[in-house]
Amino acid sequence: MTTIIRAGSAQEFLALVPRLAGFMPAQSLVCVAFEGRRTLGVLRHDLPRRSRDRTALVSAVISSLCRMPGVDAIAPVVYTDEGFADHGGAPERRLVELLCRRAAEAGFGVRDALCRAADGWGSFLDAELPSGGRPLEELDVVPARGLHPHDELAEGPWAPARLPEPDEHRAAAIARELRRIDRADAGDTIFRALGDDVDPVELVERLLAPRASSALRRAWFLHLASRPVFRDGMMLQFAFGPVVGAAAHDDAVDLAERAEAQGESVDALIRREFAGHGPGLEVSEFLSRLMLGRTGLQPDRARLERALVVVREVVADAPASHRSGPLCIAAWLCWALGRGSAAGALLDAVLTADPDYSMARLLEHYLGTGALPDWAFTRPPRLDEA
């Protein structure tokens, strides 16, 4: 739904940025992108921890803006826990000056450049800005024109990384079924109980159904997600549907056979082949492009949102031994939805528990470059106007 929002001053615009973003940013560089007077999107990045990281961050922001169709101007906003008093002026001035300079060189106008610090706010472009900033209380009294006064903000960009509370009874049932699966031989009754859901393609579609899945079905998903040959195909199917899932499954079987023939793990083969993603890539080019987001093919956002809910619920009830694979799936789903901060937090959880988990390392490296999926840059519906 299109929401028309008009801001007549820097004060009013800064008060509305959290509404545009959908959450209250913290320790962030937020860049609002404009086409004329309409906002086309909001980019958010963590503030750099070191001064030498500023250039890389600015390059990532400008690169993203250049890929967004229609953008002609920006308004960067810094959210920081530091204060004007700590710096004798607005914090992160050098970062914002570098971003504004690079934006101008790339042909973008700069509508404003703002800072919300711990002890004040202000515009970097305001020649009369007091060294101590302007009172934060001024932002609390700005009317949010075009918004209902009781509109709620989301918890923040990291919210999807927080797992729901586990259900003790369901977790115990899943653990029992996992033990049965681990002891089972081909033709065991447990596979007859699964029926068509033995097939990972059928399983993913059943998991996405509105009705809650059984403990056995969830245990089978955890078992498969712990195996690279199935994990990545299910991940892509969550986003793009069963046809892609079936193709990914067939490709994964071929991948596993090649890994075995070369005496290496599936994850090691994926890492080596993705490292040279180009003409020599041996993994199916189409599926590789989907995984890396290098395609204009749009995933089904509703499927992504539903899948993220399901996977987070299953992981919450999973034993620690079966969490790494589905957490990587959840991280990729977050990234596909444009929630890079949550993706990074989920990968951190994997690597804290299992520092050598190859898929988490692969995703951490790729997402850490600031890479965004191509579908993030297709023109979205116009959401708001400032």
Side-chain angles (χ1 to χ4, degrees), residues 201 233 236-250 286-287 290 297:
V201 178
L236 290 175
Q237 183 178 342
F238 278 131
F240 296 102
V243 173
V244 167
H249 177 67
D250 291 343
F286 172 64
L287 298 173
L290 291 182
L297 181 65

Side-chain angles (χ1 to χ4, degrees), residues 85-355:
D86 300 323
H87 296 267
E92 299 291 349
R93 177 173 291 277
R94 290 187 179 179
L95 171 65
V96 173
E97 288 177 346
L98 176 60
L99 175 57
C100 291
R101 184 168 64 251
R102 290 284 304 278
E105 291 170 355
F108 299 113
V110 177
R111 294 277 296 273
D112 208 334
L114 301 162
C115 175
R116 178 169 180 145
D119 57 359
W121 74 276
S123 169
F124 292 97
L125 307 184
D126 182 1
E128 299 180 358
L129 178 65
S131 61
R134 302 188 184 281
L136 290 174
E137 291 77 10
E138 294 180 355
L139 303 178
D140 297 332
V141 298
V142 174
R145 291 183 287 171
L147 291 172
H148 192 278
H150 299 296
D151 284 346
E152 294 293 332
L153 294 177
E155 296 179 75
W158 299 274
R162 290 195 288 272
L163 299 178
E165 288 296 318
D167 182 303
E168 292 185 6
H169 297 292
R170 191 167 56 209
I174 289 173
R176 286 194 300 271
E177 299 293 6
L178 280 169
R179 289 193 292 271
R180 288 180 62 199
I181 291 169
D182 290 340
R183 294 193 300 264
D185 296 319
D188 193 282
T189 55
I190 195 169
F191 299 118
R192 292 198 294 274
L194 279 165
D196 291 341
D197 292 339
V198 167
D199 181 347
V201 178
E202 295 289 340
L203 175 67
V204 167
E205 296 307 303
R206 193 67 59 89
L207 288 170
L208 291 174
R211 189 171 56 185
S213 297
S214 67
L216 175 57
R217 190 175 293 129
R218 293 185 175 211
W220 184 236
F221 168 73
L222 290 169
H223 176 83
L224 295 179
S226 297
R227 286 152 177 77
V229 70
F230 300 110
R231 177 197 61 212
D232 302 342
M234 293 193 297
M235 181 177 75
L236 290 175
Q237 183 178 342
F238 278 131
F240 296 102
V243 173
V244 167
H249 177 67
D250 291 343
D251 187 74
V253 171
D254 175 68
L255 179 67
E257 292 174 351
R258 286 192 288 112
E260 183 178 5
Q262 296 178 40
E264 59 185 330
S265 69
V266 171
D267 273 347
L269 180 59
I270 290 174
R271 187 169 61 252
R272 177 167 57 78
E273 294 186 345
F274 276 12
H277 44 76
L281 184 62
E282 295 179 31
V283 181
S284 168
E285 182 180 357
F286 172 64
L287 298 173
S288 301
R289 287 169 63 86
L290 291 182
M291 186 176 293
L292 295 170
R294 295 183 172 179
T295 172
L297 181 65
Q298 288 278 344
D300 186 324
R301 190 173 183 88
R303 283 179 67 93
L304 286 171
E305 296 281 10
R306 173 61 182 157
L308 186 56
V309 170
V310 169
V311 174
R312 290 170 64 244
E313 287 180 352
V314 175
V315 174
D317 295 328
S321 58
H322 287 74
R323 285 191 166 197
S324 294
L327 278 174
C328 283
I329 292 176
W332 187 88
L333 293 171
C334 283
W335 174 75
L337 285 163
R339 300 167 187 167
S341 297
L346 289 166
L347 294 175
D348 286 345
V350 176
L351 293 170
T352 297
D354 188 355

Side-chain angles (χ1 to χ4, degrees), residues 318-386:
S321 58
H322 287 74
R323 285 191 166 197
S324 294
L327 278 174
C328 283
I329 292 176
W332 187 88
L333 293 171
C334 283
W335 174 75
L337 285 163
R339 300 167 187 167
S341 297
L346 289 166
L347 294 175
D348 286 345
V350 176
L351 293 170
T352 297
D354 188 355
D356 297 323
Y357 196 76
S358 299
M359 186 59 173
R361 287 288 180 203
L362 175 67
L363 288 174
E364 181 191 46
H365 174 74
Y366 184 61
L367 273 57
T369 65
L372 292 172
D374 286 352
W375 55 77
F377 300 102
T378 56
R379 182 182 289 274
R382 290 181 169 181
L383 297 178
D384 31 59
E385 181 176 301

